[in-house]
Amino acid sequence: ETTYAAGGGTVTFIPAIPPATEGENGTNAKLVLDNAEINCPGFTAIAFKSEEDLDIELKGTNVFTANNGIASEGNLNIIGEGTLKIKGTEDGIESEGGIAVNSGTIEISDFQSVRATRAGLRAKEGDVTINGGTVTIRSEESDIHGIYASPNSKDEFGTVYIDGGKVDINVKDRGIYAGKNIVIDDKADVDVISTDDDGLHSYEGNITIGGNAVVKVVSEDGEQILEAEHIILAAGSKPLILPIPGMDLPGVLTSDELFRMKSVPESLTII
């Protein structure tokens, strides 16, 4: 194993150990982040140039300020009881395969403004699975997803599973985007706010929320808890803005804005 100094902490790389005999299990390669501090704006803090699975163990509080926090060409597994804070990023944690968060605390914020779509957790050819721990993603920039599992033409992956832990997302673009399905278990604590787009978006699959039928509705008037035997979430769609001069003038309303009005107008023209 090799240990590198990283600010006031360390980063230790432990190579994978193959199985000693057929039928036995080996161990994945592992990075141990122990109070590591990496400040490299414009670059990736940690890039793993291998397609093998990589375990990332969190110890203490680790802070990365970089274009990309962690990028791997294989599957990523987050373990440990520490914290990883990623700031000033385009993609917080990116994998060419899948991403699994099993424990620890991940905080991703202060995204850079970029034209291409980016995300806090981004799996390009795999699933995103949250089994435990806490994941917090914050962004006020456009084109930033909270969690993104890319669609796949072979329909093999692209699902977001939230089986446990706590997920807290507040972004402008889609909170959770899945190329296939979104599956949320009743053991998970999920709070997703998308100010300009869908909170949960499945490209060509289903959204399944298990457990008791309890939904928290957040609006300008505050929070409201709804409980029922069965709850149907009808997300609807966005009103189409016609390409007509003057559509941005005061008094021109979409159907959404019309239904929010507190009183009936004296006159109204519907196009």
Side-chain angles (χ1 to χ4, degrees):
E1 64 183 60
T2 306
T3 299
Y4 305 90
T10 58
V11 176
T12 300
F13 176 69
I14 304 172
I17 300 176
T21 60
E22 186 177 352
E24 291 187 356
N25 294 323
T27 61
N28 296 337
K30 180 190 286 188
L31 274 179
V32 180
L33 308 181
D34 190 349
N35 291 294
E37 300 173 24
I38 300 179
N39 188 349
C40 55
F43 298 92
T44 299
I46 292 179
F48 188 59
K49 299 295 185 178
S50 172
E51 294 183 359
E52 62 182 319
D53 292 354
L54 176 66
D55 294 342
I56 298 179
E57 182 176 357
L58 304 179
K59 295 184 177 181
T61 300
N62 304 273
V63 181
F64 293 175
T65 303
N67 255 33
N68 296 82
I70 298 174
S72 175
E73 295 185 7
N75 297 319
L76 285 172
N77 303 300
I78 312 296
I79 58 177
E81 302 303 324
T83 298
L84 174 58
K85 298 182 179 181
I86 302 176
K87 302 179 180 180
T89 186
E90 292 183 1
D91 281 317
I93 298 176
E94 177 187 39
S95 171
E96 295 292 335
I99 299 173
V101 178
N102 300 292
S103 58
T105 299
I106 298 174
E107 301 176 5
I108 304 174
S109 62
D110 300 335
F111 284 81
Q112 296 181 8
S113 178
V114 293
R115 292 183 180 179
T117 299
R118 300 294 184 176
L121 301 180
R122 182 184 182 94
K124 290 188 174 181
E125 293 190 3
D127 301 323
V128 176
T129 304
I130 313 294
N131 294 313
T134 300
V135 176
T136 302
I137 300 171
R138 295 279 186 272
S139 175
E140 296 181 357
E141 298 290 344
S142 300
D143 299 322
I144 301 295
H145 299 298
I147 296 175
Y148 188 99
S150 299
N152 170 246
S153 59
K154 297 181 180 179
D155 200 33
E156 296 171 341
F157 43 72
T159 291
V160 176
Y161 299 96
I162 305 180
D163 296 328
K166 178 177 176 58
V167 176
D168 187 356
I169 297 173
N170 192 325
V171 295
K172 293 186 71 174
D173 215 313
R174 291 162 179 155
I176 298 177
Y177 178 97
K180 195 173 179 183
N181 302 313
I182 298 174
V183 182
I184 300 176
D185 192 86
D186 64 333
K187 296 186 295 295
D189 182 354
V190 180
D191 190 352
V192 178
I193 296 177
S194 172
T195 56
D196 290 355
D197 213 315
D198 304 328
L200 307 178
H201 182 95
S202 169
Y203 180 71
E204 52 180 8
N206 300 309
I207 298 175
T208 303
I209 302 176
N212 298 325
V214 178
V215 175
K216 180 170 71 173
V217 180
V218 181
S219 66
E220 297 175 353
D221 299 326
E223 296 185 0
Q224 183 182 9
I225 303 297
L226 304 178
E227 299 185 51
E229 184 176 352
H230 301 286
I231 293 179
I232 298 175
L233 301 179
S237 59
K238 289 186 174 181
L240 174 65
I241 306 299
L242 298 176
I244 300 175
M247 289 296 290
D248 56 346
L249 294 175
V252 179
L253 307 174
T254 65
S255 58
D256 285 354
E257 294 164 333
L258 180 64
F259 288 125
R260 294 194 193 106
M261 296 183 68
K262 302 297 183 181
S263 60
V264 179
E266 294 182 1
S267 62
L268 180 67
T269 300
I270 299 176
I271 300 178

